Amino acid sequence: MNIREQNELLEKQILSPYAALSVNSQGRDHKEEQSDMRTVYQHDRDRIIHCKAFRRLKHKTQVFLAPMGDHYRTRLTHTLEVSQIARTIAKSLRLNEDLTEAIALGHDLGHTPFGHAGERALNRVCAHGFQHYKQSIRVVEILENDGKGLNLTKEVRDGILNHRTSGNPSTLEGKIVRLSDKIAYINHDIDDAIRGKIISEADIPKKYTDVLGASTKSRLDFLIHDVVNNSFDKADIVMSPEGEQAMMGLRTYMFEHVYTNSLAKREEEKAETMLISLYEYYLKHQEQLPDEFRYLIEQCGEKEAQVVADYIAGMSDQYSVAAFQQIFVPKFWKM
């Protein structure tokens, strides 16, 4: 019995009857020989961490565009915080921590430069529309590994696709990530908004802080405990009515006072205009796309508009600005 098989046996012995066991995975679209050390979900986690799209998350906006300071979240640090929260919940409920981690690390791989501003821009100009959760699936199924994708298990892909608010993951591990995403971004966005002097802790309505607490630490502690205490030994991942109501109320408060705040979002219109210009330019000049994207069009039969959106969505904030300057900003002539 190799190490992987020992770990699979250990899962059967210690995990909850509601856990998604590695040995029961529905598998991959393309069969491959299994690792002698890693379970399928551990293998998926490693593939995600080592892929190019994951590395680019460090230079993609979370909420604040180009903030002056080292401590504001990026899309990568958001992803790591979601993973940490989700793993804590999964471990406490004796669910599959490896599956949970893989879903959490992959859930935002398809996000555009400049956060949701970039997503809105591409959704506006793409005939097929654009949603980051669908793009995350496209990244892992097609775009990575020179058009071959990462060949992830169906459970991981299901969790990535369904991490959005309206999603319905098929595993409890996916449901944990869906909730952990909200718990993470609501709280770290409050922290960043306070750091950026958009709001203060005292501005947060007392009806929410009375339930959740008056600091990021206390709110995270309450929400994680609330999920664990209300989901233990159940075939679902749920919160208490008061906890869920307070969390969603706080989310609404953030939309009203931070996510649409003119000071916090003053550069977003420029970012959207820039990305739309890049999209329209590359749609007309497909010969200037990198080789791997032209390969998708010429050899794989992918739609041109989709592949151009793939290229724009994969850019980091800085890369998109540099591309725009290279194409649209005139350079001074010199001998």
Side-chain angles (χ1 to χ4, degrees):
M1 182 180 292
N2 62 31
I3 294 173
R4 170 182 55 79
E5 291 167 336
Q6 291 176 37
N7 286 331
E8 290 171 344
L9 179 61
L10 193 61
E11 286 183 356
K12 290 181 179 180
Q13 293 172 344
I14 67 174
L15 293 187
S16 162
Y18 304 114
L21 301 181
S22 302
V23 73
N24 293 335
S25 171
Q26 295 181 56
R28 311 178 188 280
D29 285 351
H30 306 288
K31 288 188 177 182
E32 57 185 59
E33 185 176 349
Q34 289 200 52
S35 167
D36 63 336
M37 295 183 65
R38 293 171 292 175
T39 68
V40 288
Y41 300 140
Q42 290 173 334
H43 208 161
D44 282 1
R45 172 203 61 201
D46 295 349
R47 288 178 177 181
I48 290 168
I49 288 176
H50 289 289
C51 77
K52 292 185 294 183
F54 185 80
R55 296 196 292 274
R56 291 196 299 267
L57 294 177
K58 67 180 178 178
H59 293 305
K60 291 193 177 190
T61 292
Q62 173 60 23
V63 171
F64 296 95
L65 273 66
M68 297 298 291
D70 294 331
H71 300 127
Y72 291 92
R73 271 72 172 189
T74 65
R75 189 61 59 178
L76 178 60
T77 56
H78 160 72
T79 295
L80 296 177
E81 290 184 42
V82 173
S83 176
Q84 179 269 323
I85 291 168
R87 286 171 54 216
T88 297
I89 295 172
K91 191 159 195 152
S92 299
L93 295 175
R94 293 186 298 115
L95 296 175
N96 196 313
E97 189 177 350
D98 296 325
L99 172 57
T100 305
E101 184 177 25
I103 295 169
L105 292 175
H107 83 281
D108 269 355
L109 289 177
H111 243 300
T112 61
F114 301 107
H116 289 287
E119 186 172 17
R120 286 195 301 270
L122 288 183
N123 191 49
R124 191 183 312 158
V125 295
C126 296
H128 55 275
F130 186 95
Q131 292 85 32
H132 80 274
Y133 58 90
K134 292 182 180 178
Q135 188 67 15
S136 294
I137 291 298
R138 188 166 168 81
V139 167
V140 301
E141 289 186 343
I142 298 174
L143 300 181
E144 282 291 333
N145 197 22
D146 298 322
K148 300 182 184 68
L150 301 179
N151 197 27
L152 302 181
T153 58
K154 293 181 181 179
E155 292 80 10
V156 171
R157 286 179 287 150
D158 170 82
I160 291 172
L161 181 64
N162 286 289
H163 80 271
R164 64 198 187 279
T165 299
S166 60
N168 185 27
S170 64
T171 65
L172 297 193
E173 289 81 0
K175 292 184 178 183
I176 288 175
V177 174
R178 178 178 169 274
L179 267 182
S180 297
D181 185 32
K182 292 179 183 59
I183 292 172
Y185 76 67
I186 290 170
N187 285 285
H188 66 50
D189 291 351
I190 289 174
D191 189 42
D192 282 354
I194 291 173
R195 178 174 290 106
K197 303 188 186 310
I198 305 300
I199 60 172
S200 69
E201 183 66 49
D203 293 328
I204 301 173
K206 197 169 182 296
K207 61 183 176 180
Y208 305 137
T209 57
D210 281 350
V211 176
L212 303 175
S215 70
T216 298
K217 180 180 178 180
S218 61
R219 283 187 286 269
L220 286 172
D221 186 68
F222 174 91
L223 289 167
I224 292 169
H225 274 86
D226 191 79
V227 175
V228 171
N229 292 336
N230 287 278
S231 304
F232 199 82
D233 277 342
K234 291 181 180 177
D236 201 2
I237 303 300
V238 295
M239 300 178 67
S240 67
E242 67 168 357
E244 184 173 20
Q245 184 177 7
M247 183 181 77
M248 297 309 289
L250 192 53
R251 180 175 181 266
T252 299
Y253 169 82
M254 290 296 290
F255 271 96
E256 293 173 349
H257 295 86
V258 175
Y259 300 142
T260 57
N261 181 280
S262 58
L263 179 61
K265 315 307 274 183
R266 59 189 173 189
E267 298 298 305
E268 284 195 352
E269 186 175 344
K270 296 177 186 178
E272 291 182 35
T273 299
M274 182 185 72
L275 294 182
I276 289 172
S277 298
L278 285 173
Y279 176 84
E280 293 173 344
Y281 176 84
Y282 283 111
L283 200 57
K284 294 178 181 177
H285 300 87
Q286 295 167 30
E287 73 281 357
Q288 295 191 31
L289 290 170
D291 292 345
E292 61 264 35
F293 291 94
R294 284 189 283 109
Y295 173 82
L296 290 173
I297 296 171
E298 297 166 4
Q299 303 298 321
C300 301
E302 294 284 334
K303 294 180 180 179
E304 297 168 350
Q306 174 66 70
V307 173
V308 172
D310 293 336
Y311 180 47
I312 302 298
M315 292 179 174
S316 66
D317 295 6
Q318 297 97 319
Y319 187 92
S320 65
V321 171
F324 183 85
Q325 290 176 332
Q326 176 71 26
I327 294 168
F328 295 106
V329 178
K331 300 171 184 62
F332 290 103
W333 181 84
K334 62 180 180 181
M335 293 287 292

